[in-house]
Amino acid sequence: EISTALRTSLCVISNRGASSLTVVGNLEMDKSEVTDNVLCSVDQISQCVPGGWENIKQLNVKTALSTSIPIYLSTGAPQDVTIEKDENGKEAVEAEEVTTVFGAKVKVYPSGDVKLIKDGETEHEI
């Protein structure tokens, strides 16, 4: 279990900030192993990022004591990225009371959309 953990890398892609970090090598690895890990990591990351490879703007390699060295710079523009919409994000969600608007309810969808429903009215997007 410890041996497996030492051979595993983790890259957390969150919606906070414009960059992510992953470890692809250590001092005990030779150049070819690190190179293979970089290539494999880039492939995996491009499959996980919404919009795929077109949504990756820059890739850098860095050691603990070095400056960041770019290995890829995108020439594309933000409008070139196509992200498929998740139709499941509009699934039915139960309306709940909201304390900031008297007599209203709110629906928060998995997609992040928020709908405010006032008494006697239809849904309004905030």
Side-chain angles (χ1 to χ4, degrees), residues 21-126:
L21 170 81
T22 187
V23 177
V24 295
N26 61 48
L27 293 175
E28 295 177 6
M29 300 172 78
D30 61 36
K31 293 176 187 178
S32 65
E33 290 175 312
V34 174
T35 302
D36 289 344
N37 281 357
V38 168
L39 295 174
C40 185
S41 296
V42 168
D43 182 50
Q44 290 294 314
I45 291 169
S46 70
Q47 292 176 30
C48 296
V49 170
W53 184 250
E54 292 79 25
N55 203 19
I56 297 175
K57 303 302 174 211
Q58 183 173 341
L59 293 173
N60 300 306
V61 175
K62 182 182 180 329
T63 69
L65 301 175
S66 75
T67 60
S68 183
I69 301 167
I71 59 171
Y72 170 77
L73 295 171
S74 171
T75 58
Q79 64 268 24
D80 296 339
V81 178
T82 305
I83 298 176
E84 295 181 22
K85 296 201 178 211
D86 181 14
E87 297 302 322
N88 294 330
K90 293 292 184 184
E91 66 189 37
V93 176
E94 187 69 31
E96 297 182 20
E97 289 187 27
V98 60
T99 59
T100 56
V101 179
F102 183 71
K105 292 188 175 188
V106 67
K107 285 186 177 183
V108 180
Y109 294 88
S111 65
D113 291 340
V114 177
K115 305 281 183 178
L116 181 68
I117 307 166
K118 293 183 180 180
D119 283 341
E121 293 184 2
T122 59
E123 297 181 8
H124 295 289
E125 190 169 327
I126 295 180

